[in-house]
């Protein structure tokens, strides 16, 4: 069966035409309890985004991420757009991706003409023009300590290279972030808004780095890269310290409870973050199909057929559907 990308319910319906509706999508690492949308002015919908609103967003992002200055932050229409833009800002060269990880990184660099190699240890990352590390990693939650990342970034800068650190899930592990030193030579940081805040449809991401890099990236994304409503929503969310702290606690507690009953169901939780869990089981292919037939989409991986990534169920009803599907599969 063709691998279905996370969130692609149309493909899931085609693959499992008899599955009950509504589908339960647990295939992404998106917070199932999204940030409550603030009031959005009619002007935000009717006019092109203004410079003041964009500046306010960058200020809120810099404060939340701990970046030295808003001038070290660029907002764009999703971190995925930035993943595709970055490879076009360098001459083709040798790129190493610390894997297994989010496949779009390697795909973006290959598409731009770079030579890409995936390695499985940090020690094997040295020597490339560009090193890409997702931290915390997707899908296993692996974390590379910040001090090791900064040492690698310094070596990359010395050879005129980059260390690209994708911190898409760092909101739930802020201690692993290197955003506080954004702007250091050779260090390129990506952040995603939609996952932790549960608003993937906003399509917003950030690039943190040196002024020259941000200048080139800004030219590549073009004017009005972020919509007026997205500017308003994200500025409010990034500034809401109370909601952020409560949500971190909520996600950690929910992930721990989810682990308990996954283990009770006879499954091995091999890693993850508080936004998703990674199951490692030789029956993964059969379990994936059983869940799909029950109208539950999870993420499988062609390179690791024993893995399934599962997002957090939003409520008791969703959790109950998963439990019933697991019990049916086991019997």
């Amino acid at each position: 069966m063709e691998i279905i990308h996370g969130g692609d319910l149309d493909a899931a319906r085609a693959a499992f035409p008899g599955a009950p509706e509504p589908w339960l999508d647990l295939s992404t690492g998106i917070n199932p309890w999204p940030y409550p949308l603030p009031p959005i002015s009619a002007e935000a919908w009717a006019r092109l985004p203004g410079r003041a609103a964009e500046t306010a967003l960058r200020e809120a992002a810099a404060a939340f991420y701990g970046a030295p200055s808003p001038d070290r932050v660029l907002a764009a229409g999703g971190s995925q757009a930035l993943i595709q833009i970055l490879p076009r800002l360098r001459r083709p060269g040798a790129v190493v991706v610390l894997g297994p990880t989010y496949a779009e990184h390697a795909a973006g660099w290959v598409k731009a003409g770079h030579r890409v190699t995936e390695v499985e240890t940090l020690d094997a990352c040295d020597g490339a023009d560009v090193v890409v590390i997702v931290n915390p990693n997707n899908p296993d939650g692996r974390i590379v300590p910040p001090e090791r990342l900064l040492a690698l970034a310094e070596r990359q800068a010395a050879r005129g290279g980059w260390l690209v650190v994708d911190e898409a899930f760092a909101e739930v592990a802020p201690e692993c972030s290197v955003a506080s030193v954004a702007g250091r030579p050779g260090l390129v940081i990506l952040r995603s808004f939609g996952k932790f805040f549960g608003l993937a449809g906003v399509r917003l991401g950030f690039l943190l780095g040196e002024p020259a890099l941000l200048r080139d990236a800004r030219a590549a994304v073009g004017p009005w890269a972020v919509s007026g409503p997205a500017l308003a929503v994200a500025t409010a969310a990034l500034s809401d310290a109370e909601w952020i702290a409560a949500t971190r606690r909520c996600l950690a507690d929910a992930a721990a409870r989810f682990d308990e009953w996954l283990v009770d169901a006879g499954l091995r939780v091999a890693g993850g973050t508080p936004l998703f869990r990674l199951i490692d089981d030789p029956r993964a292919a059969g379990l994936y199909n059983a869940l799909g037939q029950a109208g539950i989409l999870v993420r499988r991986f062609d390179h690791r057929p024993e893995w399934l990534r599962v997002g957090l169920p939003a409520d008791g009803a969703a959790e109950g559907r998963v439990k019933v599907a697991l019990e049916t599969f086991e019997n």
Side-chain angles (χ1 to χ4, degrees), residues 117-185:
T117 304
E118 184 175 290
V119 301
E120 294 193 1
T121 66
L122 189 64
D123 291 339
C125 289
D126 271 304
D129 299 304
V130 176
V131 176
V132 180
I133 297 176
V134 181
N135 202 49
N137 191 44
N138 172 18
D140 60 3
R142 175 194 61 219
I143 290 178
V144 178
E147 59 271 19
R148 297 199 68 186
L149 291 175
L150 296 180
L152 178 55
E154 186 174 354
R155 295 194 296 274
Q156 287 297 103
R159 63 169 59 94
W162 287 352
L163 169 62
V164 179
V165 184
D166 184 344
E167 297 186 343
F169 297 100
E171 282 79 0
V172 294
E175 69 281 357
C176 80
S177 175
V178 292
S180 63
V181 294
R184 282 193 183 182

Side-chain angles (χ1 to χ4, degrees), residues 28-192:
T28 68
I30 297 171
N31 182 357
W33 304 289
Y35 184 78
L37 293 175
I40 299 175
S41 69
E43 183 178 4
W45 295 101
R47 297 178 59 85
L48 288 171
R51 182 175 298 177
E54 192 265 345
T55 298
L57 173 64
R58 289 191 296 106
E59 290 174 345
F64 174 54
Y65 297 138
S69 163
D71 294 336
R72 299 293 182 267
V73 179
L74 171 69
S79 57
Q80 179 61 46
L82 293 167
I83 287 171
Q84 295 175 329
I85 286 169
L86 280 175
R88 304 203 302 265
L89 302 182
R90 289 186 64 97
R91 294 178 180 176
V95 177
V96 166
V97 178
L98 182 61
T101 193
Y102 184 51
E104 291 298 321
H105 282 291
W109 291 94
V110 167
K111 186 176 181 180
H114 298 264
R115 304 182 306 279
V116 178
T117 304
E118 184 175 290
V119 301
E120 294 193 1
T121 66
L122 189 64
D123 291 339
C125 289
D126 271 304
D129 299 304
V130 176
V131 176
V132 180
I133 297 176
V134 181
N135 202 49
N137 191 44
N138 172 18
D140 60 3
R142 175 194 61 219
I143 290 178
V144 178
E147 59 271 19
R148 297 199 68 186
L149 291 175
L150 296 180
L152 178 55
E154 186 174 354
R155 295 194 296 274
Q156 287 297 103
R159 63 169 59 94
W162 287 352
L163 169 62
V164 179
V165 184
D166 184 344
E167 297 186 343
F169 297 100
E171 282 79 0
V172 294
E175 69 281 357
C176 80
S177 175
V178 292
S180 63
V181 294
R184 282 193 183 182
L187 181 61
V188 182
I189 304 166
L190 295 167
R191 298 294 295 238
S192 172

Side-chain angles (χ1 to χ4, degrees), residues 147-285:
E147 59 271 19
R148 297 199 68 186
L149 291 175
L150 296 180
L152 178 55
E154 186 174 354
R155 295 194 296 274
Q156 287 297 103
R159 63 169 59 94
W162 287 352
L163 169 62
V164 179
V165 184
D166 184 344
E167 297 186 343
F169 297 100
E171 282 79 0
V172 294
E175 69 281 357
C176 80
S177 175
V178 292
S180 63
V181 294
R184 282 193 183 182
L187 181 61
V188 182
I189 304 166
L190 295 167
R191 298 294 295 238
S192 172
F193 173 77
K195 296 177 177 63
F196 175 75
F197 290 96
L199 297 171
V202 168
R203 305 311 305 137
L204 177 64
F206 297 94
L207 176 64
L208 286 67
E210 299 175 77
L213 169 64
L214 298 192
R215 182 188 62 243
D216 292 345
R218 185 174 291 108
V221 301
W224 309 297
V226 180
S227 72
L231 291 171
V233 170
T235 301
L238 291 165
S239 304
D240 195 335
E242 183 176 351
W243 185 91
I244 290 165
T247 298
R248 282 176 173 151
R249 293 192 297 268
C250 174
L251 289 169
D253 291 345
R257 291 195 306 272
F258 195 28
D259 280 358
E260 288 179 1
W261 71 259
L262 287 173
V263 171
D264 288 344
L267 299 170
R268 187 174 87 86
V269 179
T273 75
L275 284 166
F276 59 83
R277 313 309 294 153
L278 181 66
I279 294 171
D280 185 341
D281 194 287
R283 304 167 296 166

